[in-house]
Amino acid sequence: MSAGDLQGTIAAIWRIESPKLIAALSRMLRDVGRAEDLAQDAFVVALSEWPNQGIPRNPGAWLMTAAKRRAIDQIRRDETLNRKAQRFGHELSADALEADVASAYEEIDDDMLRLMFVACHPVVSQEGQVALTLKLAGGLTTAEIARAFLTSETTIAQRIVRAKRTLAEARVPFEVPAGAERVQRLSSILETLYLIFNEGYAATAGDDVLRPELVEDALRLGRMLAALMPNESEVHGLVALMEIQASRMRARVGPSGDAILLLDQDRGKWNRMLIARGLEALTRAESLGVSLGPYALQGAIAACHARAATQEQTDWERIVALYDALAALAPTPVVELNRAVAVGMALGPQAGLDIVNKLLGEPALRTYYLLPSVRADLLLKVGRASEAQIEFERAASLARNTRDRTLLLTRAAACTMSSSA
């Protein structure tokens, strides 16, 4: 393995293992910021040792052991933490490390859920809650979080620093709260799971369309949350959305790794078991007797696609009605852009284009590649191929994912042939 390949493999391991590592260390030390520092220290040790010794058979356990040894060293050096050292003495003793690593990883799902509830404590601003949770529990980089929020990396970095400082000063307990306090933190947790899933299902940068480990993490935590809060419609709605979206993963990528648009996918490759789970979760959300919220509405939209055997059989009028309801609850530019796509399918491309044109001045969408991409598709459908080509090329210049960029440039080139035909 070349040095470059090895570094890439180690970085991939870190992306997968760091949220689990931070969650387990936070449970043990009751300090989120310190847990993150120890996890990063363990990664630095791995970068130093693995190129010479090789990647261990269980890299997650290796990182956990390294991080906990660092914790022991810190506790021993800091006399002011003597009582804490005694409290965690047995748990963190060198002789018990291997056994404790195994038990910690058996509890990892619970730890991840606890970490999310801690990061979403009300002493932290809601924007800070989501940013910090995406960083710690989702393992997303500051740049990825910034793209999810359509804002700058500096802004996100400041939110994360403030959130960690606030949690440390408040000495927030590492636990899942009960009753009203649990519900109070729910909206931030749902938003975080939604964003983690989205980054896994449609990677905003890099060379791959999908990041399956993020999809799996979001699904697993969503299912756990549904079991913990069975009477919350929006929890089931989000699970429904994620299950149905995840069902398309095999059809979403072609043999060469290129992205395949929804309407071009082979629906025979959709995972029927995940669709069934998603529809069941949507039924639970609808059965609770409350008006559907934003996630349940999106789950219902996904269900319209899942129930259609072919794209021609898709109930676009129903999807438009659902987007109308979603826009009333969450009137964001991104929702309106998605609504424009549905309107274009139901009422014709010009109707969709009229909506998109009203979004051209939206500051939040200035660098959002899907705005010119959607506009290009609608322009092509109304016969304005030369304008569509310009928009596809602009979308490609904004896309950070290599596969998305390739698809957009391919569509731009096709416009040239269309306009010359």
Side-chain angles (χ1 to χ4, degrees), residues 86-279:
Q86 292 176 6
R87 191 193 326 161
F88 294 118
H90 174 68
E91 183 179 8
L92 296 178
S93 66
D95 293 339
L97 275 172
E98 294 302 327
D100 192 55
V101 166
S103 64
Y105 268 77
E106 287 175 3
E107 298 176 347
I108 200 67
D109 283 345
D110 287 338
D111 285 343
M112 291 281 284
L113 203 57
R114 288 192 196 99
L115 179 60
M116 294 182 72
F117 273 101
V118 169
C120 293
H121 193 282
V123 296
V124 177
S125 71
Q126 186 161 8
E127 290 179 335
Q129 291 171 13
V130 178
L132 180 61
T133 311
L134 287 170
K135 175 78 169 174
L136 299 182
L140 302 190
T141 66
T142 304
E144 288 166 345
I145 299 169
R147 287 194 291 272
F149 278 103
L150 302 179
T151 189
S152 70
E153 291 183 44
T154 301
T155 298
I156 294 301
Q158 291 172 345
R159 289 177 189 174
I160 291 171
V161 168
R162 284 196 297 267
K164 287 194 288 188
R165 184 170 60 241
T166 301
L167 287 175
E169 292 171 352
R171 298 176 183 243
V172 173
F174 192 76
E175 63 185 14
V176 175
E181 191 175 355
R182 181 185 296 176
V183 175
Q184 184 181 19
R185 304 185 201 183
L186 181 59
S187 63
S188 294
I189 290 175
L190 291 175
E191 183 178 359
T192 301
L193 288 177
Y194 177 74
L195 293 173
I196 291 172
F197 180 88
N198 281 351
E199 180 61 29
Y201 185 74
T204 55
D207 298 325
D208 299 313
V209 175
L210 301 170
R211 295 175 63 180
E213 72 281 0
L214 294 181
V215 171
E216 292 166 5
D217 283 346
L219 271 173
R220 187 176 65 254
L221 291 168
R223 292 164 184 162
M224 288 181 63
L225 192 62
L228 182 70
M229 307 180 74
N231 295 320
E232 292 294 331
S233 174
E234 278 290 78
V235 176
H236 296 298
L238 178 58
V239 170
L241 173 63
M242 294 192 298
E243 299 275 15
I244 295 172
Q245 294 277 74
S247 74
R248 306 174 194 156
M249 289 177 65
R250 284 183 300 183
R252 182 162 159 63
V253 181
S256 61
D258 294 331
I260 300 177
L261 298 174
L262 173 61
L263 298 185
D264 297 328
Q265 289 174 13
D266 178 358
R267 300 187 178 213
K269 293 182 179 180
W270 288 1
N271 187 316
R272 308 313 300 184
M273 183 189 73
L274 289 179
I275 289 175
R277 292 182 67 140
L279 295 177

Side-chain angles (χ1 to χ4, degrees), residues 218-357:
L219 271 173
R220 187 176 65 254
L221 291 168
R223 292 164 184 162
M224 288 181 63
L225 192 62
L228 182 70
M229 307 180 74
N231 295 320
E232 292 294 331
S233 174
E234 278 290 78
V235 176
H236 296 298
L238 178 58
V239 170
L241 173 63
M242 294 192 298
E243 299 275 15
I244 295 172
Q245 294 277 74
S247 74
R248 306 174 194 156
M249 289 177 65
R250 284 183 300 183
R252 182 162 159 63
V253 181
S256 61
D258 294 331
I260 300 177
L261 298 174
L262 173 61
L263 298 185
D264 297 328
Q265 289 174 13
D266 178 358
R267 300 187 178 213
K269 293 182 179 180
W270 288 1
N271 187 316
R272 308 313 300 184
M273 183 189 73
L274 289 179
I275 289 175
R277 292 182 67 140
L279 295 177
E280 182 181 355
L282 182 61
T283 298
R284 287 199 204 104
E286 293 170 339
S287 70
L288 290 171
V290 297
S291 299
L292 296 186
Y295 296 112
L297 286 170
Q298 290 178 76
I301 291 168
C304 288
H305 293 292
R307 291 181 175 121
T310 66
Q311 70 97 353
E312 291 82 9
Q313 295 175 3
T314 305
D315 188 350
W316 287 107
E317 288 77 12
R318 168 71 174 158
I319 291 175
V320 169
L322 290 168
Y323 267 120
D324 288 344
L326 179 60
L329 290 178
T332 69
V334 173
V335 168
E336 191 66 3
L337 182 62
N338 290 329
R339 191 176 77 86
V341 174
V343 169
M345 295 299 295
L347 304 178
Q350 186 60 54
L353 186 59
D354 291 342
I355 296 173
V356 171
N357 286 341

Side-chain angles (χ1 to χ4, degrees), residues 388-406:
Q389 180 182 352
I390 294 171
E391 288 292 84
F392 277 130
E393 290 172 348
R394 179 168 177 268
S397 72
L398 294 173
R400 300 289 298 274
N401 184 284
T402 303
R403 303 293 183 174
D404 290 334
R405 193 179 306 121
T406 299

